[in-house]
Amino acid sequence: DQQVKQNSPSLSVQEGRISILNCDYTNSMFDYFLWYKKYPAEGPTFLISISSIKDKNEDGRFTVFLNKSAKHLSLHIVPSQPGDSAVYFCAARLWGGSQGNLIFGKGTKLSVKP
Amino acid sequence: NAGVMQNPRHLVRRRGQEARLRCSPMKGHSHVYWYRQLPEEGLKFMVYLQKENIIDESGMPKERFSAEFPKEGPSILRIQQVVRGDSAAYFCASSPGRMREGETQYFGPGTRLLVL
């Protein structure tokens, strides 16, 4: 059973517009969420994170929103740039666990067209 | 500050052989994590180690897989008697200590294992 779901395998956006990547989770005991970006043949690179006690975190062009009641988070990229084209993974950490076990979604492939 | 290093980047093994994957964490990092990514899947946690200790091995298959992080040298993920289903990308990550909020695990470039 997938505890972290990214239901859109791909997303295509025009350069300069907003990209919205979505992530749903099932376990209410997740206390920390992270977004990673991955290029082919490379490892994931950390983008932004959010604690479960917050509902928004912003870093430059990247903003993550958390809706705990809906068990939903989203990553907004504004404005989108062609270099943002990559696979984006949502990950969650379980409260009370070893704090090392991140549970990942399957990823969403973002294509930003010039 | 060099990032997480993994070698080899690509490894080809025949069924029944052993695969050894190495991971050198970032300088100053004493916590190492191993993940596996199958094609079209997300990363799946395997094991979390601190120097000379296994903290969490809840994601490790019960047989053929082992991991260590000795006092000196890199962390090693060892797969004995490989089967075709072991073909995947194996990622190592590291952190300075237990991951706190606002912190992350830093990932290496991965080792792509192909079992023929």
Side-chain angles (χ1 to χ4, degrees):
Chain A
D1 62 331
Q2 257 195 296
Q3 297 187 69
V4 177
K5 299 177 187 177
Q6 293 177 258
N7 292 319
S8 298
S10 62
L11 175 67
S12 185
V13 169
Q14 206 66 32
E15 181 179 7
R17 308 292 287 266
I18 184 171
S19 295
I20 300 177
L21 298 110
N22 294 304
C23 179
D24 297 293
Y25 61 95
T26 58
N27 195 329
S28 57
M29 297 300 286
F30 288 143
D31 69 339
Y32 184 48
F33 302 89
L34 306 92
W35 283 94
Y36 288 88
K37 171 182 176 180
K38 186 181 178 304
Y39 294 116
E42 293 185 12
T45 302
F46 172 70
L47 273 178
I48 193 169
S49 62
I50 189 166
S51 163
S52 61
I53 62 172
K54 296 182 179 175
D55 54 19
K56 177 182 174 182
N57 188 25
E58 192 171 352
D59 184 1
R61 296 187 298 117
F62 302 93
T63 303
V64 56
F65 295 93
L66 175 61
N67 183 333
K68 281 185 68 176
S69 60
K71 294 193 178 69
H72 176 84
L73 63 157
S74 60
L75 174 68
H76 293 212
I77 307 173
V78 183
S80 301
Q81 299 172 353
D84 295 330
S85 297
V87 178
Y88 288 78
F89 290 98
C90 170
R93 184 184 72 180
L94 196 63
W95 179 84
S98 67
Q99 298 186 331
N101 178 351
L102 291 180
I103 299 168
F104 282 80
K106 289 190 177 185
T108 296
K109 184 176 182 179
L110 174 65
S111 299
V112 180
K113 300 190 184 306
Chain B
N1 189 10
V4 178
M5 315 237 329
Q6 290 189 248
N7 68 82
R9 294 291 306 272
H10 299 273
L11 183 61
V12 179
R13 284 287 177 266
R14 297 193 178 280
R15 281 179 296 167
Q17 291 184 318
E18 178 180 287
R20 279 184 179 241
L21 289 62
R22 292 174 187 75
C23 169
S24 296
M26 286 180 72
K27 188 175 181 181
H29 288 195
S30 59
H31 291 236
V32 163
Y33 317 82
W34 285 94
Y35 291 82
R36 175 166 64 176
Q37 185 185 24
L38 296 169
E40 309 302 323
E41 296 285 323
L43 282 72
K44 292 281 196 298
F45 170 79
M46 299 181 76
V47 64
Y48 168 20
L49 309 108
Q50 196 183 356
K51 286 280 188 182
E52 299 184 283
N53 284 313
I54 295 176
I55 307 294
D56 182 352
E57 57 181 348
S58 58
M60 283 284 266
K62 295 286 183 263
E63 297 176 347
R64 302 187 299 108
F65 285 73
S66 62
E68 62 175 5
F69 188 17
K71 188 176 179 181
E72 301 290 338
S75 175
I76 307 283
L77 179 68
R78 183 182 177 207
I79 312 173
Q80 295 179 288
Q81 299 175 331
V82 295
V83 300
R84 289 218 173 103
D86 297 332
S87 295
Y90 291 82
F91 292 97
C92 168
S94 73
S95 64
R98 285 187 183 267
M99 192 176 64
R100 290 191 282 258
E101 286 173 13
E103 297 176 345
T104 184
Q105 297 173 9
Y106 295 86
F107 282 84
T111 293
R112 273 119 190 113
L113 172 66
L114 175 62
V115 179
L116 301 176

